[in-house]
Amino acid sequence: QVQLVESGGGLVQAGGSLRLSCVTSGRTFSHYNMGWFRQAPGKERESVAAISHSGVSTYYLDSVKGRFTISRDDPKNTVYLQMNSLKPEDTAVYYCAARPLYGATYNYWGQGTQVTVSS
């Protein structure tokens, strides 16, 4: 089992920044690919960013490219999502998730943290 706990959400004005953190425990962190997802009211959950177990490969949703940065700190068992130039459409509950090294799906999820961007 892997436990994930997100933090860092909050209320910010458009153009502002937030950094989300996700601390994991339970298994070897470096054996997992990590991702950040978000779900806005009335919308489906979408993948925002992902980072490979080695940290070499990353993925970003087109609408956040150039504004968001995903990173990981393996000694701290933590994955981060730095969000800059936030827009009202970024408002959502943000979740981190873990996918095993050779797994096809994200098996472990955090409880989510609310991000609200005011215009």
Side-chain angles (χ1 to χ4, degrees):
Q1 282 285 355
V2 177
Q3 292 78 42
L4 302 92
V5 179
E6 304 100 332
S7 63
L11 174 63
V12 64
Q13 288 187 332
S17 298
L18 285 173
R19 187 176 81 156
L20 305 183
S21 300
C22 174
V23 179
T24 71
S25 62
R27 294 287 177 91
T28 304
F29 181 64
S30 61
H31 291 179
Y32 289 84
N33 303 294
M34 301 298 296
W36 285 97
F37 295 75
R38 68 186 181 187
Q39 187 166 22
K43 296 187 178 181
E44 293 188 354
R45 185 175 63 196
E46 62 182 355
S47 175
V48 175
I51 188 166
S52 63
H53 68 97
S54 65
V56 172
S57 299
T58 57
Y59 156 83
Y60 294 97
L61 182 68
D62 282 347
S63 62
V64 308
K65 285 181 180 177
R67 301 188 297 122
F68 290 12
T69 302
I70 189 171
S71 61
R72 61 189 297 156
D73 186 337
D74 284 6
K76 294 184 178 179
N77 294 338
T78 302
V79 61
Y80 302 98
L81 185 67
Q82 177 67 44
M83 306 186 295
N84 299 328
S85 302
L86 283 161
K87 303 176 181 180
E89 52 263 44
D90 295 318
T91 295
V93 177
Y94 283 71
Y95 301 89
C96 73
R99 177 167 63 86
L101 185 58
Y102 299 112
T105 61
Y106 286 88
N107 295 340
Y108 304 102
W109 294 81
Q111 82 289 350
T113 185
Q114 176 70 46
V115 172
T116 303
V117 184
S118 63
S119 57

